[in-house]
Amino acid sequence: RIVAVTEKGLPVGTTVTVRDLFYNTPARLKFVKSRTTEKQAIADIVTRLALSWPEVAFTLRTGGNVILQTFGKGLASAVSDIFGPKDASCMVPVSSRGVSGYVGLPSLYRRTRDRQIFSVNSRPVRNTALGWALDQAFAGLLPPKTYAVAILNLKTEADEVDVNVHPTKAEVKFQNDRDTRSAVIGAVTEALARSGFALQAKDSPRLW
């Protein structure tokens, strides 16, 4: 029951508070997983948002504890805030062909794709073609069954990407997958080459 609404001075920013989440849809409560699993899913979403909007400061709290915090000082700072300065020091900038961000050096490989974060026009997305392109750029540089670390943003025209291919709009489809893959492979390959990781021409991945 709202007793009164008054003005109050607060720090600049946005606070999101969720209460009685299943008040109108109690049946959905049975689909909620464990508290730990749901907390990790929320942290994953906030991580992707924070890395897609690095000029915005994010703070995620649970149980009164801060579990994620960035300070809006740019992507390099956000990467260090989230993954730690040690991992951040093993990442190199990517900036060409409409692709920008950071990729980890081959020594920073992972056993899963949990640190492959893509965005399109600063919108966090999932797209298998982007992961494939990253695999091709790192072909021959990583141990078998391992994956590169990357935080990449692609700039495209609005009509070149379809955001309505998934109910939650988490996945996107590009009008020209081949050109998109080529841009990612080329930009990442150039970044790695500047750091001394260049494949011979005969080993260069093909664009299928």
Side-chain angles (χ1 to χ4, degrees), residues 37-53:
T37 300
E38 296 295 345
K39 184 170 68 174
Q40 183 55 49
I42 292 170
D44 178 67
I45 291 172
V46 177
T47 294
R48 292 175 183 276
L49 288 170
L51 292 171
S52 298
W53 293 90

Side-chain angles (χ1 to χ4, degrees), residues 130-180:
L130 297 179
W132 180 91
L134 199 59
D135 292 345
Q136 295 301 298
F138 277 85
L141 298 175
L142 301 177
K145 297 182 179 181
T146 62
Y147 303 95
V149 172
I151 297 95
L152 298 176
N153 179 57
L154 285 72
K155 288 187 177 181
T156 67
E157 296 297 329
D159 59 358
E160 292 180 359
V161 58
D162 184 356
V163 300
N164 296 309
V165 296
H166 190 271
T168 65
K169 301 186 186 298
E171 298 179 13
V172 296
K173 181 179 180 181
F174 296 100
Q175 296 297 331
N176 193 321
D177 269 350
R178 191 177 191 280
D179 286 351
T180 302

Side-chain angles (χ1 to χ4, degrees), residues 45-168:
I45 291 172
V46 177
T47 294
R48 292 175 183 276
L49 288 170
L51 292 171
S52 298
W53 293 90
E55 305 303 329
V56 177
F58 286 79
T59 301
L60 176 63
R61 295 185 178 92
T62 178
N65 298 318
V66 175
I67 60 174
L68 184 150
Q69 186 171 36
T70 63
F71 298 93
K73 296 181 179 179
L75 185 55
S77 175
V79 170
S80 181
D81 293 337
I82 293 174
F83 298 140
K86 182 179 179 181
D87 282 2
S89 67
C90 296
M91 301 185 73
V92 296
V94 177
S95 183
S96 67
R97 308 186 187 209
V99 182
S100 62
Y102 284 85
V103 293
L105 296 176
S107 59
L108 198 64
Y109 64 82
R110 306 279 290 180
R111 295 293 178 183
T112 67
R113 294 187 185 272
D114 63 330
R115 288 194 181 177
Q116 291 186 0
I117 298 175
F118 301 105
S119 59
V120 176
N121 299 331
S122 297
R123 176 196 184 107
V125 301
R126 298 181 188 277
N127 178 273
T128 55
L130 297 179
W132 180 91
L134 199 59
D135 292 345
Q136 295 301 298
F138 277 85
L141 298 175
L142 301 177
K145 297 182 179 181
T146 62
Y147 303 95
V149 172
I151 297 95
L152 298 176
N153 179 57
L154 285 72
K155 288 187 177 181
T156 67
E157 296 297 329
D159 59 358
E160 292 180 359
V161 58
D162 184 356
V163 300
N164 296 309
V165 296
H166 190 271
T168 65

Side-chain angles (χ1 to χ4, degrees), residues 31-40:
F31 294 102
V32 174
K33 297 180 173 58
S34 70
R35 189 179 186 88
T36 299
T37 300
E38 296 295 345
K39 184 170 68 174
Q40 183 55 49

